[in-house]
Amino acid sequence: MLPHIDASGAGSFRGVSRTKVLSIVGPGRSGTTILTSVLGQTEGFLNVGELRWLWRRGLLEGRACGCGAPSLQACPLWSRVIEKVSAGRVATDLAAEIGGALEELAWRRHRLRVIREATAGSSQWPALEQVRQVSEGLISAIAEVTGARVVVDSSKRAQDAAVIAGLDEVEHYVLHMVRDPAAVIHSWQRRDKTTHAADGARTMATRGFLPSMVRWSENCLGAEALHQRMPGGRWMFVRYEDFAAAPRATVARILSFLGEDVPPPFVDEDTVVLDVNHTVAGNPNRFRVGPVQVRADDEWRRRMPHRQQLAVRALSWPLLLRYGYSLDTRSVVGARA
Ligand SMILES: [Zn+2]
């Protein structure tokens, strides 16, 4: 739920010494935006969107905040957070430095090393150490400004979650969300998905079949590598299809996983009233406000060519089995082992 930011910058939630951060890890187009929006409506929770983009898309490219402010510097929440994190430096200079370090960490050949070294809690790698330090300051500034007990970060990639996993001042949890890759790839290929956002009409990016398949697999393999390094009780797996079939019950399970004794923010079994939020970057759906019904989107079953559905299964069957999906394209969600 959106915290009230008063004139002094002190949020209305009670303060805690160690902020909980929930990292949402999973391939894009897996329903992570709607899940994060729902979690952000929970009392004491703050949905910050994809925090990894704060520097480049937020500060350097000047994109709008989820609250409708034309830039993060014009937003009452982020302007205070950025002021604290910058500590007297020019915010865009710091953003250029951190943006560069994050790009270095994102190189394909660096990804597993980032997961390994970041989760270990310290590193001799200057780019990683710089990102670790600024992430720690950023989360503590967000908690201080808003008073949020739980910060939900939907950066989606395992290496970004790994950085937070290695921070001493954070009580860190990971929610790994997976959706049938055929649905994800169909969504990436669609060219008609336009959302009218607070900052004008925005069209979702599109991507071809093979690049989408590679991205889906890489994201899952990164998640598996991170899972091996996470302490017990800090990792939860959710399939999009199970969330869409029982949204309220799934969110109740997530709140219990986080040790949060608060009710799921639903007005009935599948409807949530979304308030404005302060998300950094991400899917244009992040600007949605008002009542939203969580419903399964299975358009791909009717519109995706059958040969593509078969190709998805041929290319991803080991992970499909691991995540409890059926290899039969007529009956997709199997029982999870
Ligand atoms: Zn804002």
Side-chain angles (χ1 to χ4, degrees):
M1 188 182 292
L2 182 74
H4 168 69
I5 312 297
D6 68 24
S8 69
S12 59
F13 295 142
R14 66 183 166 83
V16 286
S17 54
R18 224 163 153 246
T19 307
K20 286 182 187 174
V21 175
L22 175 65
S23 292
I24 310 285
V25 172
R29 310 294 173 87
S30 299
T32 52
T33 302
I34 181 65
L35 175 67
T36 311
S37 298
V38 171
L39 289 171
Q41 287 303 126
T42 308
E43 187 271 315
F45 283 52
L46 180 74
N47 166 19
V48 292
E50 299 183 27
L51 204 52
R52 68 178 163 120
W53 291 118
L54 171 79
W55 311 101
R56 184 152 302 282
R57 293 187 185 170
L59 286 169
L60 296 178
E61 296 178 13
R63 298 207 193 177
C65 179
C67 70
S71 68
L72 298 186
Q73 286 94 333
C75 160
L77 188 155
W78 289 114
S79 57
R80 290 180 189 283
V81 169
I82 291 161
E83 192 184 332
K84 277 181 188 291
V85 176
S86 309
R89 292 190 59 188
V90 176
T92 45
D93 289 352
L94 179 64
E97 244 177 59
I98 301 302
L102 281 168
E103 267 170 31
E104 186 180 326
L105 302 188
W107 293 352
R108 191 169 261 129
R109 66 190 163 90
H110 283 167
R111 289 179 190 170
L112 288 177
R113 183 181 166 201
V114 172
I115 292 170
R116 196 172 59 239
E117 294 194 17
T119 48
S122 69
S123 170
Q124 302 300 313
W125 187 357
L128 178 55
E129 214 33 49
Q130 191 178 23
V131 169
R132 276 170 43 76
Q133 279 175 21
V134 87
S135 300
E136 187 126 58
L138 180 60
I139 289 160
S140 107
I142 291 170
E144 212 176 301
V145 167
T146 67
R149 286 196 316 277
V150 184
V151 175
V152 185
D153 169 19
S154 58
S155 288
K156 298 204 287 266
R157 299 183 312 190
Q159 62 265 39
D160 299 293
V163 168
I164 299 174
L167 303 179
D168 290 336
E169 298 305 313
V170 171
E171 188 177 327
H172 185 233
Y173 297 81
V174 173
L175 180 73
H176 181 206
M177 191 164 188
V178 170
R179 182 182 187 186
D180 189 298
V184 172
I185 289 160
H186 176 67
S187 175
W188 275 114
Q189 293 185 102
R190 265 161 58 171
R191 297 191 182 278
D192 54 354
K193 204 169 177 183
T194 304
T195 301
H196 291 277
D199 56 351
R202 303 272 287 268
T203 305
M204 308 271 282
T206 58
R207 189 169 282 135
F209 179 86
L210 270 179
S212 305
M213 191 72 246
V214 168
R215 272 206 168 210
W216 185 88
S217 307
E218 282 180 343
N219 187 290
C220 292
L221 294 173
E224 295 301 323
L226 177 62
H227 188 183
Q228 288 173 9
R229 290 167 175 81
M230 289 290 293
R234 296 297 180 89
W235 185 276
M236 181 173 173
F237 173 78
V238 168
R239 289 189 301 203
Y240 161 82
E241 292 80 4
D242 298 330
F243 166 60
R248 185 190 174 100
T250 305
V251 170
R253 281 200 297 127
I254 295 169
L255 298 179
S256 154
F257 158 65
L258 294 168
E260 289 291 313
D261 187 18
V262 285
F266 285 82
V267 293
D268 59 27
E269 283 310 303
D270 55 14
T271 310
V272 173
V273 181
L274 298 181
D275 204 344
V276 289
N277 59 65
H278 294 278
T279 48
V280 174
N283 185 313
N285 286 339
R286 71 193 170 101
F287 292 102
R288 258 204 292 189
V289 291
V292 172
Q293 196 179 22
V294 180
R295 274 183 309 188
D297 169 7
D298 59 357
E299 183 197 87
W300 67 275
R301 291 193 195 213
R302 298 182 300 279
R303 296 190 51 187
M304 189 181 207
H306 192 63
R307 63 177 188 285
Q308 278 196 8
Q309 296 188 29
L310 292 173
V312 169
R313 267 142 177 78
L315 292 168
S316 62
W317 66 267
L319 285 166
L320 285 171
L321 290 180
R322 174 157 177 75
Y323 299 140
Y325 288 96
S326 167
L327 297 185
D328 181 348
T329 53
R330 289 161 302 178
S331 152
V332 170
V333 177
R336 174 144 170 83

